[in-house]
Amino acid sequence: MCGILGIIGQNCEASKLAYFGLYAQQHRGQESAGIAVVAEKGEIHYHKGMGLVSQVFNENIIRGLPGNLAVGHVRYSTTGASQIKNAQPVLVELPDGALLLAHNGNLVNTLELRGELESAGVAWRMSSDTEIIGCLIAKYYNGDLADTLVRVAPKLQGAFSLVLMTRDKILGLRDPHGIRPLCLGQLPDKSGFVLASESCALDILGAKLLREVDKGSLVILEKDRVRSLVYDGTKPGALCVFEYIYFARPDSYIEGHNVYKVREKMGKLLFQEHPADADIVIPVPDSGIPAAVGFARASGIPYEEGLIKNRYVGRTFINPSQVMREIGVRLKLNPLREVLAGKRVVILDDSIVRGTTSAKLVRLLRDSGAREVHFRVSAPPSISPCYYGIDTPVKSQLIAANNSAAEICRKLGADTLGYLSIEAVHEAIAASADGSNGKCFCQGCFDGVYPAGIPSGEELGLVYKER
Ligand code: AMP
C-alpha cells in the first residue's frame, strides 16, 4: 500500500504542494517518502528518504526542489524490502528525457516480467515491482509516452495506480479493474491539476475533486487541460473493499462515497447483525471510531473512549517483527480504568488479522475492570491474503483462516464476537451515496476470489517477496 500524488500548476511551488499532499496521505505509507520536480529549464530534481514525510523533508530541501510539476510517493512495502533503494518516485531514463514514476499496488506477474527483462539484459537496482514497470516502459518506448503506456499496461497483471511525470506532463494510469484508488482534482483558481490516491490530499491543497481516474484508463494532465483515454474497458470494476473498511482516511471520498459515512453505517448494520447487551461502546482508535459511533447510535448504548491512543506511534501492524508488534500494542493504546471499571463493554475494530492486537486489547480491558467484553468487527473474517498491495500476512497467520468465529472468540478471551457480513459491507457502501447497489469490489481477503489473478508461483511458494 502506498500513497501517490502528481501536480501540474503555474507558479505553484509544486514541491510544497506535493509535500502537503503527501502529508495528508501519510497513513498510506510510513516507510519512505519522495518528491521529484521538473525545474524551469526542464531539469529533474528529486529527494527521497526513509521515514515519515516530515522526517524526510524540511524547508531547505523543499526550497531546493523548484518547479511547477511534481510527483510524490509515500511507501508501505509489499513487494521489495523497506530500504532506501526501493523508495519512490523511480527514475526511468528514456532516449529523449527522464520519466519519474510513482506506484500504488502490487503486480502478480512479477516473476514472468523479471524473467523477460533479465533475458533482455536488464540489471536491477531495486527489488520492487515498480522498477519492473519502469523497465518495461523503457523497453517498449516508441517516442510517444501515452502510446507506450497503453501498450505496456496490458502486460501488467495485478493492481496498479500510477502517477508519471515527464518534462511537461503528469500522467495517471489505473489498472483495468481499478483495484487501487486514484482521483483527479483541480487546483484553486483553475491554476492546474492534481492526481492523488485519496481526496483528503486535495482538500489540504484547496483543490476541487473532479472525478476518479476511470479503471483501465490513462489521463494526461497539461497546464490547462486534461485528456483521458480508456485502454481497457472490458473488465468489471473491482475497487479494493478494504479501502472503505480500513485503509482510506475517513474524510476521503471514494467513488462518491464518504468513507466516514460508510464506516458509520457499517457500525449500524453490525449492531443489527450482532446486537449486544452492554453499558458502553468503545472504539479501537482511530480506525474503529466511525463504526463505533454507528453502533452506539443504532443501539442507544453510550459511546465512550475507553482506550487512549498515543498518536505519535506508527501503526503497530507495520512493524515487521512479531516481538515489536507485541510491544507495539501497549505503546499505542492505554486503557481508561475510570471509564471501563465495572462496565459491560462493546469494543469495535475494523478488522482482526492475526488476532494479536485484539487478544491484547481484551486482556487490557479486563485488567482495567471491564465486567464483560463483546468484540465487534466491522468487516467479515479476513481469511485470505491480499496480493494487490495491502500488507496482509500469509494464510497460516490469518486467525480467521484457521479458526471458527467461536474459536477466535475463545482465543481473544472475549465474551462474544461478531463480524459484519459481506452483504452488509456492500449495503453500507451503497447507502452512503446514491443508493445504487451492484458495485463490484475486490474482496479477495474475505472470499479468496482474486479478480486480477494470483501471483504465478504462489502455489509453489515462489512468490517474489523480499524482507
Ligand atoms: P492483528 O493483531 O493482526 O489482528 O491486527 C489487527 C489490527 O491491525 C486492526 O486494529 C486493524 O485496524 C489493523 N490492520 C488491519 N489491516 C492492516 C494493514 N494492512 N496494515 C496495518 N494495519 C492493519
Side-chain angles (χ1 to χ4, degrees):
M1 185 50 78
C2 299
I4 55 177
L5 186 90
I7 289 180
I8 181 163
Q10 293 159 35
N11 307 319
C12 70
E13 295 185 282
S15 58
K16 205 173 246 182
L17 299 183
Y19 173 83
F20 288 114
L22 291 182
Y23 211 104
Q25 300 190 104
Q26 187 76 81
H27 62 289
R28 298 186 69 86
Q30 295 108 34
E31 294 179 17
S32 69
I35 296 175
V37 293
V38 182
E40 198 72 349
K41 293 191 180 111
E43 39 336 339
I44 304 248
H45 299 280
Y46 62 88
H47 180 81
K48 38 191 183 179
M50 299 304 292
L52 301 175
V53 178
S54 59
Q55 294 168 323
V56 173
F57 295 96
N58 59 34
E59 289 262 12
N60 267 341
I61 294 170
I62 292 292
R63 226 175 287 127
L65 296 171
N68 292 319
L69 278 82
V71 59
H73 189 267
V74 283
R75 178 157 193 261
Y76 171 15
S77 64
T78 45
T79 302
S82 176
Q83 292 170 357
I84 185 68
K85 67 172 180 178
N86 287 327
Q88 299 190 32
V90 171
L91 175 73
V92 184
E93 310 267 9
L94 298 178
D96 52 1
L99 174 73
L100 274 298
L101 172 63
H103 171 211
N104 173 206
N106 207 48
L107 301 185
V108 293
N109 59 338
T110 317
L111 279 182
E112 291 93 325
L113 294 175
R114 282 180 83 85
E116 176 191 329
L117 289 162
E118 274 164 19
S119 40
V122 167
W124 304 107
R125 280 179 290 182
M126 308 168 63
S127 57
S128 81
D129 49 358
T130 312
E131 184 180 23
I132 294 176
I133 302 176
C135 289
L136 282 174
I137 296 171
K139 180 175 174 196
Y140 290 98
Y141 187 65
N142 60 10
D144 177 341
L145 182 60
D147 186 61
T148 306
L149 290 173
V150 164
R151 284 165 199 269
V152 166
K155 298 184 186 298
L156 310 175
Q157 278 167 30
F160 54 93
S161 280
L162 303 178
V163 175
L164 307 100
M165 181 177 74
T166 66
R167 206 172 286 175
D168 56 356
K169 288 183 192 65
I170 296 286
L171 300 95
L173 187 73
R174 215 169 156 200
D175 70 67
H177 294 279
I179 296 174
R180 305 260 69 97
L182 189 64
C183 64
L184 170 69
Q186 188 162 41
L187 292 174
D189 307 320
K190 301 193 173 167
S191 59
F193 297 99
V194 45
L195 288 174
S197 297
E198 282 187 43
S199 68
C200 63
L202 309 188
D203 295 339
I204 200 170
L205 304 179
K208 180 175 146 207
L209 174 62
L210 296 177
R211 62 177 175 84
E212 310 288 315
V213 172
D214 291 331
K215 65 183 171 65
S217 79
L218 171 72
V219 289
I220 305 162
L221 317 187
E222 290 164 289
K223 270 203 306 270
D224 47 4
R225 64 171 181 161
V226 176
R227 284 178 291 150
S228 316
L229 68 100
V230 176
Y231 68 87
D232 184 350
T234 63
K235 308 280 194 306
L239 178 77
C240 166
V241 79
F242 209 62
E243 291 276 352
Y244 284 112
I245 290 168
Y246 169 78
F247 219 87
R249 243 170 70 160
D251 49 338
S252 284
Y253 285 78
I254 308 176
E255 296 185 337
H257 310 264
N258 170 241
V259 174
Y260 180 90
K261 282 290 167 197
V262 171
R263 291 181 189 164
E264 190 188 336
K265 178 81 181 176
M266 286 171 178
K268 184 174 171 195
L269 296 173
L270 186 53
F271 170 69
Q272 287 169 11
E273 290 188 340
H274 299 282
D277 204 4
D279 304 311
I280 55 171
V281 176
I282 66 164
V284 177
D286 291 319
S287 51
I289 292 174
V293 168
F295 194 100
R297 284 223 174 108
S299 62
I301 304 169
Y303 174 92
E304 293 270 8
E305 303 229 357
L307 294 164
I308 298 303
K309 181 174 174 178
N310 179 342
R311 297 209 151 75
Y312 303 96
V313 180
R315 288 179 172 179
T316 57
F317 188 96
I318 283 168
N319 276 321
S321 82
Q322 186 68 15
V323 181
M324 286 304 291
R325 244 188 315 273
E326 304 270 334
I327 300 167
V329 179
R330 257 282 174 192
L331 260 182
K332 205 162 94 170
L333 295 167
N334 206 17
L336 259 178
R337 177 170 279 278
E338 295 298 324
V339 170
L340 299 164
K343 298 284 174 28
R344 296 171 301 162
V345 179
V346 177
I347 179 167
L348 257 290
D349 204 356
D350 60 276
S351 54
I352 298 177
V353 183
R354 294 176 175 85
T356 323
T357 317
S358 331
K360 289 193 171 301
L361 289 175
V362 174
R363 207 172 320 134
L364 280 184
L365 299 183
R366 292 211 192 274
D367 289 349
S368 305
R371 201 147 50 86
E372 290 174 16
V373 179
H374 302 277
F375 214 103
R376 296 292 177 272
V377 185
S378 57
S382 301
I383 55 150
S384 224
C386 176
Y387 299 112
Y388 302 142
I390 295 212
D391 188 20
T392 45
V394 291
K395 214 168 175 134
S396 59
Q397 290 178 19
L398 290 169
I399 192 167
N402 306 295
N403 296 278
S404 67
E407 285 163 342
I408 298 170
C409 183
R410 197 175 42 76
K411 287 192 172 178
L412 299 188
D415 292 283
T416 65
L417 170 67
Y419 284 98
L420 192 63
S421 67
I422 193 69
E423 292 75 21
V425 170
H426 295 171
E427 188 184 335
I429 296 169
S432 73
D434 54 9
S436 63
N437 217 331
K439 282 222 165 72
C440 296
F441 297 102
C442 174
Q443 50 198 40
C445 48
F446 304 130
D447 64 9
V449 178
Y450 296 97
I454 65 168
S456 39
E458 171 67 16
E459 302 84 353
L460 306 169
L462 289 174
V463 177
Y464 185 75
K465 185 151 180 155
E466 183 191 60
R467 277 288 171 203

